[in-house]
């Protein structure tokens, strides 16, 4: 299983980034894919889930209204569109293979994860 996140970088507050997560070794017909982030000195946060059925869920209140997800199932790729970025969004963003096909009620478990992509938002 491999999950490759990309698209991060340095941006100014208010700008946008679109992250991509390309998964291999499994398909979204069997497992959902989640986005997580870990800010320096903080615990990881579960951001979103995308399932093969097209269902997607945002779990993090601080990003609702600013982040959205999309899926290209044919490419086994999930995207995280991040708009109106804030300095507190600065973190390592990584995607993960979730334990089941569907999206869970709470996002805290995952089977495999990739190296992540760094997002740095300056004010």
């Amino acid at each position: 299983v491999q999950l490759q996140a990309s698209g991060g970088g340095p941006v100014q507050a208010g700008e946008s980034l679109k992250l991509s997560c390309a998964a291999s070794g499994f398909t979204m017909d069997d497992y959902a894919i989640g986005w997580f982030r870990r800010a320096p000195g903080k615990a990881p946060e579960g951001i979103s889930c995308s399932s093969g059925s097209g269902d997607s869920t945002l779990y993090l209140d601080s990003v609702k209204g600013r982040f959205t997800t999309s899926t290209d199932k044919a490419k086994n790729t999930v995207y995280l569109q991040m708009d109106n970025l804030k300095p507190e969004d600065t973190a390592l963003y990584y995607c993960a293979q979730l334990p089941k096909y569907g999206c869970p009620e709470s996002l805290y478990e995952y089977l495999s994860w990739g190296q992540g992509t760094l997002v740095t938002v300056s004010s």
Side-chain angles (χ1 to χ4, degrees), residues 7-19:
V11 295
Q12 298 284 327
E15 292 184 341
S16 299
L17 280 174
K18 186 174 184 178
L19 307 184

Side-chain angles (χ1 to χ4, degrees), residues 31-115:
Y31 299 97
I33 294 176
W35 281 103
F36 295 78
R37 70 184 185 185
R38 184 165 188 168
K42 295 187 178 181
E45 297 179 300
I47 302 171
S48 67
C49 165
S50 298
S51 75
S53 67
D55 179 36
S56 64
T57 303
L58 278 176
Y59 297 88
L60 199 56
D61 287 341
S62 62
V63 306
K64 290 179 179 177
R66 300 188 296 121
F67 290 12
T68 56
T69 60
S70 58
T71 301
D72 186 337
K73 193 176 174 183
K75 294 182 178 180
N76 220 38
T77 297
V78 173
Y79 305 95
L80 182 67
Q81 176 68 43
M82 307 186 297
D83 297 322
N84 190 22
L85 283 161
K86 302 178 180 181
E88 51 264 43
D89 294 319
T90 294
L92 179 69
Y93 286 72
Y94 57 100
C95 52
Q97 177 192 15
L98 300 184
K100 298 179 179 179
Y101 168 74
C103 291
E105 285 194 15
S106 299
L107 188 62
Y108 60 91
E109 286 186 303
Y110 47 83
L111 299 178
S112 301
W113 62 94
Q115 288 187 329

